[in-house]
Amino acid sequence: MRALHICLLLLLILGIGLTAGAPSIGLRQRRQIDLTLSAEHDDKEDETELALEAIAGLWSSADSRTKIEGSARVVHRVNSLQTGNTSYQARLHLHHDYKSNPYQN
C-alpha cells in the first residue's frame, strides 16, 4: 500500500511538471516548480510525519495580470498505535489583477 501511495504521489508531481512545461502556442514561457520534502518526529507522541509538496506556476498572461498556479501535497502520519494515515490535497489558484492601469498605486 505504501508503494502505491508513493507511485501516486510521483504521478501527481510529474503531472504538474508536464502541465507546467507544456509549450504554449508558439511562445516559450519560463516555468518554476518548487518541491518541498519535510520529515518531522515527535518523541513525546511517538509520531512521525512525512510531507511532500509541489507548487507550480502553470500559466501567466502576456501582461502578467492573470496567473494560474497549481499545487499538490501529500502528508503521511504514523504513530506507534496505528499503521498510519495519508492525506492528499490539490489546489488550483486563479489570480487576476483588476487595476485598469497597472502603474497606479
Side-chain angles (χ1 to χ4, degrees):
M1 192 67 164
R2 213 176 231 173
L4 176 63
H5 289 160
I6 292 171
C7 289
L8 288 173
L9 173 63
L10 291 174
L11 285 174
L12 186 60
I13 291 170
L14 287 174
I16 289 174
L18 290 174
T19 303
S24 55
I25 304 171
L27 299 174
R28 182 181 167 117
Q29 294 185 0
R30 182 177 171 188
R31 308 269 192 235
Q32 180 177 350
I33 300 174
D34 296 325
L35 291 175
T36 305
L37 175 64
S38 64
E40 196 174 308
H41 180 73
D42 183 4
D43 284 332
K44 187 181 252 185
E45 300 290 326
D46 195 24
E47 182 177 76
T48 302
E49 176 182 290
L50 298 171
L52 181 61
E53 183 175 22
I55 301 171
L58 302 176
W59 180 80
S60 178
S61 64
D63 61 359
S64 295
R65 291 177 60 196
T66 305
K67 296 178 183 179
I68 298 175
E69 295 177 341
S71 69
R73 178 178 170 91
V74 176
V75 178
H76 184 73
R77 289 182 184 89
V78 179
N79 67 25
S80 60
L81 301 176
Q82 61 179 337
T83 58
N85 63 2
T86 304
S87 64
Y88 302 90
Q89 298 173 351
R91 180 180 71 102
L92 192 62
H93 180 78
L94 171 66
H95 174 79
H96 178 74
D97 186 9
Y98 288 101
K99 292 180 185 176
S100 59
N101 184 351
Y103 299 106
Q104 288 179 341
N105 288 332

